[in-house]
Amino acid sequence: MTLITGHRGARNLWPENSLAGFRNTLKLGVDAIEFDVHLTESGELVVIHDATLERTTEGFGPVRKLTSEERAGAQARPGVRLKGTDETIPTLADVLAALSAKDGPDLHVEIKTDETGTPYPDIARRVAEELRRFGVEDRTHLTSFDISVLEDCRRHAPQVARLVSVNADWAERQGGLAAFLARVDGLVDIVAIHHELMEAQWELVRAALPLDRLCVWTVNEEAGIRHWLDRRIGRLTSDRPDLAIALRSAMRTAAPLEANPA
């Protein structure tokens, strides 16, 4: 069965990487929730996608420069804020506290780089400590595009599963998808490939990895979701996990009828 991951919570349904969004996403019955982590110079691990503040908050400048006071006051932009809320940038501890129930979904914790593309010093160790503190190591994948970050994850948290992400541009920078897959062999448990690259190089990918080690991202339209569910991909990441879950359920129910039309 294809596992469904809510991307940045479920960002087409609720504000991305927000506590309100995560709490609502939990109610959908997703198999995993994905979110992003940066490290500020004041020492806070904060959950936000971009390395700068402008797109999703009313703040400006790089995330790494945030003080704790500025973070607490950096409200989500009106266009992405839930009505009647005063959402700000949550810390990793805030998010793990909201998602740490023992029967909760898996967590895909993406460790980001700063606005120059440089890994934050010691971020892997810091994230690993928080996972340990909240008791979620056994249902977490630490994720990144950056291979050096994942190597740090293996060093500081060898018991935590790892996932690498790649799109066409990043694969080209690494010498092509085949070379990239060879580089991460033995380092990661899951390879998450952008849907356009996955489709373009499907035969190469299928020859390199079993389906249960593959994740396709980010698929939001019904036709695309059906396509990858038909291929029995191991994992599918979506901004519309509600739609993906509904289609998966409908396809599983319909399958026996198609096989036995009577």
Side-chain angles (χ1 to χ4, degrees):
M1 179 183 73
T2 298
L3 302 179
I4 306 299
T5 300
H7 186 230
R8 304 182 207 170
R11 73 172 185 146
N12 281 13
L13 300 175
W14 302 288
E16 67 181 60
N17 284 325
S18 68
L19 289 177
F22 293 136
R23 291 182 178 119
N24 283 321
T25 302
L26 280 175
K27 300 173 186 176
L28 299 177
V30 293
D31 300 295
I33 293 178
E34 187 267 355
F35 56 88
D36 310 279
V37 181
H38 290 264
L39 178 63
T40 70
E41 290 179 358
S42 64
E44 285 193 311
L45 293 165
V46 296
V47 174
I48 183 173
H49 179 269
D50 298 4
T52 55
L53 299 169
E54 289 81 354
R55 181 178 65 86
T56 57
T57 83
E58 294 179 338
F60 297 91
V63 172
R64 66 182 171 83
K65 292 290 188 181
L66 273 179
T67 67
S68 57
E69 293 79 12
E70 289 168 339
R71 177 195 59 76
Q75 289 195 339
R77 293 177 65 86
V80 297
R81 186 188 307 163
L82 286 179
K83 186 176 180 180
T85 67
D86 293 318
E87 294 166 72
T88 60
I89 302 168
T91 65
L92 177 59
D94 293 333
V95 174
L96 293 180
L99 301 179
S100 62
K102 292 190 180 299
D103 59 348
D106 289 348
L107 306 177
H108 289 189
V109 183
E110 181 169 350
I111 298 179
K112 306 298 281 188
T113 54
D114 71 16
E115 75 280 6
T116 70
T118 303
Y120 295 100
D122 210 29
I123 188 172
R125 182 188 63 80
R126 295 282 308 279
V127 170
E129 287 178 350
E130 288 292 84
L131 298 178
R132 191 175 306 116
R133 184 162 74 93
F134 282 89
V136 295
E137 293 173 293
D138 61 345
R139 58 183 179 89
T140 295
H141 280 78
L142 288 170
T143 89
S144 182
F145 282 79
D146 192 302
I147 292 173
S148 70
V149 170
L150 290 166
E151 289 171 338
D152 281 347
C153 291
R154 178 171 61 184
R155 184 176 306 113
H156 294 293
Q159 73 281 17
V160 179
R162 294 175 295 277
L163 176 154
V164 69
S165 298
V166 61
N167 56 20
D169 178 63
W170 190 242
E172 185 177 347
R173 293 192 212 177
Q174 310 301 314
L177 184 58
F180 179 83
L181 294 177
R183 280 193 69 190
V184 299
D185 184 38
L187 174 64
V188 300
D189 304 275
I190 303 293
V191 178
I193 304 176
H194 187 266
H195 65 93
E196 292 177 352
L197 178 60
M198 183 90 84
E199 185 64 37
Q201 302 212 32
W202 178 241
E203 294 304 322
L204 183 157
V205 171
R206 283 293 291 116
L209 291 165
L211 287 172
D212 63 359
R213 291 190 59 203
L214 290 172
C215 173
V216 63
W217 61 274
T218 301
V219 190
N220 298 328
E221 304 299 326
E222 179 173 344
I225 293 171
R226 286 185 180 275
H227 173 69
W228 292 106
L229 291 176
D230 277 337
R231 281 187 165 172
R232 301 183 186 278
I233 198 80
R235 296 167 187 263
L236 183 148
T237 297
S238 180
D239 296 320
R240 283 291 311 275
D242 59 328
L243 176 60
I245 290 169
L247 290 172
R248 181 180 67 181
S249 178
M251 292 171 72
R252 291 177 67 192
T253 301
L257 299 178
E258 294 169 1
N260 301 285

